[in-house]
Amino acid sequence: EVQLVQSGAEVKKPGEALKISCKGSPYSFTNYWIAWVRQVPGKGLEWVGIIYPGDSDTRYSPSFQGHVTISADKSIDTAYLEWSSLKASDSGIFYCARRNSGFFPLDYWGQGTLVTVSS
Amino acid sequence: EIVLTQSPDTLSLSPGERATVSCRASQSVSSSFLAWYQQKPGQAPRLLIFGVSSRATGIPDRFSGSGSGTDFTLTISRLEPEDFAVYYCQQYINSPVTFGQGTKLEIK
């Protein structure tokens, strides 16, 4: 069965950098998009952005554009979400999820990575 | 950006009852690219319904979706104990993709 396995919880200070990961298996990683979705604990779901590992085509939500970087390494079937300088407001649970090419919903989700940014 | 507004925020029902959750869009969701997800505490969301009314793989037929344009509905015909969770609608045709704020279905 399709699995997306995410890296573990992180505790960081404001201003620090961070890169979290999402590894997909066992499917053709380069033929599906990987999206990132944020959830502040106890709150709703926010779209961060999405990447197509086949050619690294990347789209960002305006709310996150310029503050995060989404990338992928297709040689190891892994997508990443990265911050160069964290803020306390970046805290939350970050989920990766798979989407087929075209207009499709998110059919498989990772288990989530909790990011806590606190001084 | 398409804003999705769900109602009610919280729905209190008993097992065996029928649940109806509404999702209203700020503009028409063209080609019916609307989905519903279920999220239980401590878990990732799970896809229930896509294309307004198609059930995802393994989803029981007590879950159904309907609607068009700007008004959509998720119906659970007879609630089972495992159905008490938070439900989100999502439109995936316009960029950015957006979600409703969620509806918590709790046991009465």
Side-chain angles (χ1 to χ4, degrees), chain A residues 39 43 47 95 103 105-106 110, chain B residues 37 39 43-45 88 92 97:
Chain A
Q39 184 170 44
K43 302 296 185 183
W47 185 264
Y95 294 101
F103 296 106
L106 303 174
Chain B
Y37 298 84
Q39 187 178 32
Q43 297 184 16
Y88 295 93
Y92 50 96
V97 167

Side-chain angles (χ1 to χ4, degrees), chain A residues 37 39 43-47 59-63 95 99 102-107 109-112, chain B residues 1 33 35 37 39 42-47 49-50 88 90 92-93 95-101:
Chain A
V37 176
Q39 184 170 44
K43 302 296 185 183
L45 304 170
E46 299 174 87
W47 185 264
R59 323 276 175 84
Y60 295 93
S61 166
S63 299
Y95 294 101
R99 195 199 81 181
F103 296 106
F104 286 92
L106 303 174
D107 60 357
W109 292 64
Q111 82 276 19
Chain B
E1 173 174 320
F33 290 117
Y37 298 84
Q39 187 178 32
Q43 297 184 16
R46 176 175 72 145
L47 177 65
I49 301 284
F50 64 97
Y88 295 93
Q90 177 210 32
Y92 50 96
I93 180 65
S95 183
V97 167
T98 50
F99 295 90
Q101 82 278 14

Side-chain angles (χ1 to χ4, degrees), chain A:
Chain A
E1 184 179 343
V2 170
Q3 279 195 309
L4 296 172
V5 178
Q6 298 185 230
S7 50
E10 302 274 1
V11 180
K12 293 289 188 180
K13 290 181 168 35
E16 292 187 328
L18 176 64
K19 191 173 189 176
I20 62 174
S21 66
C22 168
K23 182 174 174 61
S25 65
Y27 69 93
S28 180
F29 190 73
T30 54
N31 288 346
Y32 290 81
W33 294 75
I34 292 289
W36 288 94
V37 176
R38 181 174 80 168
Q39 184 170 44
V40 174
K43 302 296 185 183
L45 304 170
E46 299 174 87
W47 185 264
V48 176
I50 194 166
I51 187 166
Y52 189 71
D55 61 7
S56 293
D57 184 8
T58 308
R59 323 276 175 84
Y60 295 93
S61 166
S63 299
F64 291 89
Q65 176 89 46
H67 193 59
V68 298
T69 301
I70 296 171
S71 61
D73 184 342
K74 60 186 179 183
S75 70
I76 55 172
D77 296 345
T78 301
Y80 302 95
L81 179 62
E82 182 176 14
W83 296 260
S84 59
S85 180
L86 285 158
K87 299 185 286 190
S89 57
D90 292 322
S91 296
I93 301 169
F94 290 83
Y95 294 101
C96 63
R98 191 185 82 159
R99 195 199 81 181
N100 207 337
S101 291
F103 296 106
F104 286 92
L106 303 174
D107 60 357
Y108 288 93
W109 292 64
Q111 82 276 19
T113 296
L114 175 62
V115 174
T116 303
V117 184
S118 175
S119 54

Side-chain angles (χ1 to χ4, degrees), chain B residues 40-79:
Chain B
K40 296 181 179 179
Q43 297 184 16
R46 176 175 72 145
L47 177 65
L48 294 177
I49 301 284
F50 64 97
V52 175
S53 59
S54 297
R55 279 186 299 275
T57 303
I59 301 303
D61 60 8
R62 65 180 181 272
F63 290 90
S64 63
S66 62
S68 65
T70 60
D71 290 292
F72 302 91
T73 301
L74 171 70
T75 301
I76 310 171
S77 58
R78 286 180 56 87
L79 286 165

